Amino acid sequence: MSNYPTTKKKILAAMKCKLKSWLYMHGRKVGIKLNKPTLQQKRMMQSGIDAENYFRTFKTDGVLIKDGWSYYGWENAINETKDAISNGLSRLYQSAFLSKDNILSLSDEVIIHSNSNLTLNEIKATNSVKEDHIIDVAVQAHTVIDSGYNLNDIRLTHLNKKAVMEDGENFFTSSSIKDRVLDKIPLIQNWIKEVRLLEQSEKMPEPEYQPGCKDCDFSGHCLSQLPETNIL
């Protein structure tokens, strides 16, 4: 088995706080554990899963690629994705791509136009397109393009705030974010280089305190170092 690749999670973390990304890589070695997810975090994760699963019910030609995030299954998921695309399937869910610089990402939906042309579609349980979504999808686009595929379009599907679940497929709305995503790829490539330095470094970065620290997976470590009265 090859070494487990660098994930999108570590890149997105570094862009907000280098310490957070470093702790994902080295935390266990220095005895710093992730917080247990809060009830609110569990609900947010589940809402995303529920939205994606509901979206799939309207696309019956899709094939699910399993175990892409699994330590034991990611290589098989990449091979299954390649085979599905070359064999002319029309749609994949949770397809796995590995870039030449060893970045692993999974995509909510990939529409296959040919063995070299795809459309990437990210599904979010929100009612608008947010800047964080663009950055998220830019990492995915980097891995897909670097894997040798052309992206005909890059789309983001989110909840339609004017609809309810009983409206069926109209519960979702979709728009192209291709230009915005492609504009971010050079930024992503620069951050990949930063993440490589963090992977190789044994020195723990300093905390970058900010409002989002309260929801961080490592808040138990960083916030414990602050005085009782602090800016957060």
Side-chain angles (χ1 to χ4, degrees):
M1 180 188 296
S2 303
N3 290 332
Y4 191 74
T6 302
T7 60
K8 177 182 68 175
K9 181 179 184 178
K10 293 172 184 175
I11 299 168
L12 299 179
M15 295 177 74
K16 292 184 178 295
C17 175
K18 290 183 180 181
L19 174 58
K20 181 178 181 180
S21 184
W22 189 91
L23 287 172
Y24 280 137
M25 305 167 195
H26 306 287
R28 288 186 180 181
K29 291 187 291 186
V30 296
I32 299 174
K33 298 179 180 180
L34 281 77
N35 299 339
K36 292 182 178 180
T38 65
L39 181 59
Q40 181 181 6
Q41 288 170 330
K42 289 180 180 179
R43 286 173 176 169
M44 288 180 64
M45 287 187 284
Q46 189 60 50
S47 67
I49 294 170
D50 291 344
E52 189 177 344
N53 287 338
Y54 187 50
F55 176 83
R56 291 178 194 167
T57 65
F58 303 105
K59 314 290 182 181
T60 56
D61 59 340
V63 173
L64 177 65
I65 304 294
K66 297 181 180 179
D67 297 329
W69 288 129
S70 165
Y71 183 81
Y72 298 102
W74 66 271
E75 289 179 295
N76 187 55
I78 290 169
N79 291 329
E80 284 187 19
T81 297
K82 290 178 181 177
D83 290 344
I85 293 172
S86 62
N87 290 334
L89 273 67
S90 58
R91 192 185 311 268
L92 300 177
Y93 301 124
Q94 293 300 307
S95 48
F97 298 90
L98 185 71
S99 63
K100 295 183 183 71
D101 50 8
N102 203 40
I103 305 300
L104 172 68
S105 73
L106 271 59
S107 299
D108 290 344
E109 181 188 41
V110 164
I111 301 166
I112 302 166
H113 306 292
S114 70
N115 61 7
S116 60
N117 293 283
L118 313 173
T119 287
L120 188 64
N121 182 31
E122 179 75 359
I123 302 159
K124 295 294 186 183
T126 60
N127 58 19
S128 63
V129 179
K130 304 181 187 300
E131 184 64 18
D132 282 353
H133 299 161
I134 304 299
I135 298 296
D136 180 319
V137 180
V139 180
Q140 297 178 46
H142 166 74
T143 64
V144 174
I145 294 169
D146 206 44
S147 298
Y149 300 102
N150 302 313
L151 285 173
N152 289 17
D153 199 5
I154 305 171
R155 305 189 66 81
L156 193 134
T157 296
H158 59 81
L159 308 184
N160 182 355
K161 58 186 175 184
K162 296 181 180 179
V164 294
M165 289 189 71
E166 288 74 17
D167 291 326
E169 194 169 357
N170 290 330
F171 185 59
F172 298 94
T173 185
S174 179
S175 60
S176 177
I177 56 172
K178 182 177 180 179
D179 290 343
R180 293 176 66 183
V181 167
L182 294 182
D183 284 346
K184 296 293 185 183
I185 288 182
L187 174 68
I188 297 302
Q189 292 169 336
N190 286 334
W191 273 103
I192 290 171
K193 296 175 185 176
E194 292 291 332
V195 169
R196 293 289 177 241
L197 295 176
L198 291 171
E199 287 175 335
Q200 297 165 15
S201 175
E202 295 183 1
K203 183 179 179 181
M204 186 186 302
E206 292 296 321
E208 302 173 43
Y209 291 114
Q210 53 195 288
C213 288
K214 291 182 178 180
D215 298 318
C216 176
D217 288 337
F218 301 101
S219 61
H221 165 72
C222 297
L223 299 187
S224 65
Q225 302 178 53
L226 290 174
E228 290 187 15
T229 304
N230 58 72
I231 59 172
L232 301 177

